Amino acid sequence: MDFFVTYNNISSFQLILYNVLMIAVFLYLFWKYRNASFAQCIVLIFMSGVFSDLGQIFSLGNSMSHIYKVCVIVWAFFLFRRYGYNKKNNAILLCFVIYILYFFFISVFLHDDNLGLVVSQVLSYTIPVAMFLVVDAFLIRYRLRGMVLLNMVLRDLIIAQIVFCGIKLLILQATQEGWVGSLTGIRGGGAGTSFPLLCLLWLAVNTRMKFTWKNLLLMIGFLFIGFMTGKRAVWLMFPLLYAILMAYYNIHTVPQFLKISVPLSLFALMFFYFGLRLSPTLNPEHKVWGSFDPLYAYNYALNYSGGTRTNAGEIEVKEGEGRLGAVVFFWNDLIHVFDYDRQKLFGVGNEYIKYADRADYFNSDYYFGISYRGGVTGIVMMYFISGLFGLFLFLLYYMQIMFRIPQKGFRWILIGTVLFDFVFYNGQIMGNIAMQVMLMIVIFISRKYDKVYLPCA
């Protein structure tokens, strides 16, 4: 059997067994935090993949995912009533309400989208902002004790994702794009690149990137998640983010630079080296533990992401080809300011994108010049769905949240990571409910890291 399998090759028994074991872990976490309803709600948020798979197991389609969203928003509402509201969040709430009203109005009245689909999308963004308000109020009331609880439950959930990927390896004896722990169901794998980066940001604010063997094992676990989903970009982005965070927290003077530059370079190269050898598509032999060939990996990555070979044998990015080509497409649309029509300003709606026929996956005409569906990055997807106005309002709301980080250096590192995922990848950090909530928790922890107990250190 190949070391990578698609969900079509997974049996019903394997699907059920994986989810039964995940449910068992979550029941343990619910029991562990039985005296903390706030923590239990966060645990439930990380169960989206379980509900997605239950829909597959019982042939209920997306119904179980809708039930999941309703359960979470109801629970968040009761927590909101318990802990109250911080008026300092008025600007965030105002920007979010404007965006949601705009999104709902154009989706229902302009694009005539299915109401159930629109409500589901609205909940996907309402749940994280509701939890942001709840977490803020919770920390005002419980301060240090609340921060410890918040950090510990997130630590347990991150470790659980690593455990789930270990279970996945035992059951499948292969990698598979879906099942990014419990974050996605069997058909969702985009988080395999974004989630390890978000985990590294969480580790950084807790440890300031101080080296311990425990932290090294955690980072290997983060990369294991990417490996088990067959992702390639994580092997390039993780070492880069690691080097940036190490430099930010540990290099402030020339002597510090000279002291840390060598071990920093060695660790970054170690992650990069193992990444190219462990990822079958990034080495010439196309197998796990193939040869280390950075030039081959570079050419493959550029060609896959939107490159085409010229007559001279060089690879250049072509508009509409792959993810880089999609970004070029978006940029060219953006700079032609006098060519905007209704489609560019308000998008084409949710149904057009979300309910696209599989037969159109490689239909560039359907995606307005982008060669295939997988090449549509997060920013381009939102541009297609809600247009330039919707994209602007969404980013305005999110920047209000991310600018709550007081440390300018870490703030820009986090913004850069999130925008990389949104612009050049599939936007899972700003799209997946659990990852959005995790991002907001990382933001809160970063504001308190001088005083918070570090459970992972």
Side-chain angles (χ1 to χ4, degrees):
M1 181 175 66
D2 293 335
F3 200 67
F4 182 88
V5 298
T6 65
Y7 72 87
N8 292 321
N9 300 117
I10 296 174
S11 68
S12 297
F13 174 76
Q14 291 172 318
L15 177 62
I16 293 171
L17 178 60
Y18 181 77
N19 281 276
V20 166
L21 294 174
M22 276 204 300
I23 291 172
V25 173
F26 279 117
L27 287 176
Y28 164 74
L29 291 176
F30 275 114
W31 177 83
K32 180 178 180 178
Y33 295 103
R34 59 193 177 278
N35 296 320
S37 176
F38 170 79
Q40 287 181 325
C41 184
I42 296 175
V43 172
L44 176 62
I45 287 171
F46 272 72
M47 291 182 66
S48 58
V50 176
F51 283 85
S52 176
D53 279 350
L54 288 176
Q56 297 293 319
I57 293 170
F58 296 107
S59 301
L60 296 173
N62 294 322
S63 298
M64 294 302 296
S65 293
H66 298 333
I67 291 173
Y68 154 80
K69 292 178 183 179
V70 171
C71 290
V72 172
I73 196 65
V74 169
W75 199 333
F77 173 75
F78 281 106
L79 291 174
F80 181 79
R81 291 195 61 184
R82 176 186 298 179
Y83 300 121
Y85 173 71
N86 183 2
K87 292 183 179 180
K88 291 183 179 180
N89 294 321
N90 284 345
I92 293 174
L93 189 59
L94 177 62
C95 289
F96 176 75
V97 169
I98 292 173
Y99 166 70
I100 286 298
L101 289 176
Y102 165 85
F103 180 84
F104 186 86
F105 179 84
I106 65 164
S107 297
V108 174
F109 298 104
L110 184 62
H111 302 310
D112 196 27
D113 285 336
N114 177 276
L115 184 60
L117 174 62
V118 175
V119 171
S120 178
Q121 293 298 304
V122 167
L123 287 177
S124 295
Y125 295 110
T126 303
I127 289 171
V129 76
M131 289 304 299
F132 179 90
L133 300 177
V134 168
V135 170
D136 196 22
F138 175 81
L139 293 179
I140 290 174
R141 176 178 293 193
Y142 292 102
R143 300 183 183 278
L144 183 58
R145 185 159 59 96
M147 184 63 73
V148 171
L149 175 64
L150 184 69
N151 212 15
M152 288 183 67
V153 68
L154 185 56
R155 176 202 60 186
D156 288 348
L157 287 166
I158 289 173
I159 293 174
Q161 307 312 307
I162 300 173
V163 172
F164 294 150
C165 285
I167 294 172
K168 174 181 174 181
L169 179 60
L170 292 174
I171 292 176
L172 300 182
Q173 299 180 9
T175 63
Q176 194 261 342
E177 187 175 12
W179 282 347
V180 186
S182 63
L183 300 176
T184 67
I186 194 172
R187 294 190 178 185
T193 293
S194 313
F195 184 68
L197 301 181
L198 196 52
C199 289
L200 184 57
L201 291 170
W202 168 80
L203 185 68
V205 297
N206 274 284
T207 67
R208 301 192 192 183
M209 299 303 290
K210 300 299 182 184
F211 176 81
T212 67
W213 290 107
K214 185 183 292 185
N215 293 340
L216 178 60
L217 287 175
L218 278 171
M219 288 188 285
I220 292 173
F222 302 159
L223 283 170
F224 179 61
I225 295 172
F227 171 74
M228 284 306 301
T229 51
K231 293 303 178 183
R232 297 165 289 268
V234 68
W235 298 107
L236 305 175
M237 294 308 303
F238 194 92
L240 177 60
L241 181 59
Y242 170 82
I244 293 172
L245 288 168
M246 282 290 290
Y248 170 68
Y249 282 106
N250 296 288
I251 298 179
H252 304 289
T253 63
V254 172
Q256 285 177 330
F257 172 77
L258 295 175
K259 180 180 178 181
I260 201 173
S261 58
V262 173
L264 172 61
S265 300
L266 288 176
F267 270 105
L269 287 173
M270 178 188 73
F271 288 130
F272 181 66
Y273 171 81
F274 284 107
L276 298 196
R277 297 200 65 181
L278 288 171
S279 181
T281 53
L282 294 180
N283 59 69
E285 293 79 15
H286 302 290
K287 66 179 183 179
V288 175
W289 209 244
S291 61
F292 178 71
D293 191 335
L295 181 60
Y296 175 87
Y298 170 78
N299 287 331
Y300 171 84
L302 186 58
N303 188 55
Y304 174 81
S305 298
T308 56
R309 290 194 177 275
T310 64
N311 292 332
E314 299 177 349
I315 298 177
E316 62 180 19
V317 177
K318 181 180 179 182
E319 179 179 345
E321 290 290 332
R323 293 189 176 112
L324 289 178
V327 175
V328 172
F329 162 87
F330 170 72
W331 176 252
N332 289 338
D333 251 16
L334 196 64
I335 60 178
H336 292 102
V337 293
F338 298 110
D339 295 337
Y340 286 127
D341 52 24
R342 195 183 85 164
Q343 176 178 307
K344 294 180 180 179
L345 292 176
F346 303 107
V348 294
N350 291 271
E351 280 194 47
Y352 186 90
I353 300 297
K354 300 292 184 180
Y355 290 168
D357 194 290
R358 288 184 176 273
D360 288 317
Y361 190 88
F362 292 101
N363 185 350
S364 62
D365 291 333
Y366 189 88
Y367 293 106
F368 310 103
I370 295 178
S371 56
Y372 67 105
R373 170 63 178 257
V376 180
T377 67
I379 193 170
V380 178
M381 178 76 75
M382 182 157 287
Y383 176 57
F384 283 163
I385 290 175
S386 57
L388 190 63
F389 286 148
L391 177 61
F392 171 77
L393 292 173
F394 178 77
L395 290 175
L396 180 64
Y397 144 66
Y398 243 98
M399 287 301 170
Q400 291 285 335
I401 289 178
M402 291 191 284
F403 268 84
R404 294 289 296 272
I405 302 173
Q407 299 84 19
K408 291 183 179 179
F410 182 75
R411 179 200 304 163
W412 286 111
I413 293 173
L414 182 139
I415 290 175
T417 303
V418 173
L419 288 183
F420 167 83
D421 177 59
F422 186 61
V423 174
F424 296 103
Y425 208 61
N426 49 33
Q428 286 289 302
I429 296 178
M430 300 169 79
N432 180 279
I433 294 176
M435 291 180 67
Q436 288 184 78
V437 172
M438 181 176 171
L439 171 66
M440 293 173 183
I441 293 175
V442 169
I443 290 172
F444 278 111
I445 294 173
S446 72
R447 293 165 57 186
K448 305 283 185 179
Y449 72 93
D450 282 327
K451 300 178 180 179
V452 70
Y453 165 73
L454 309 179
C456 66

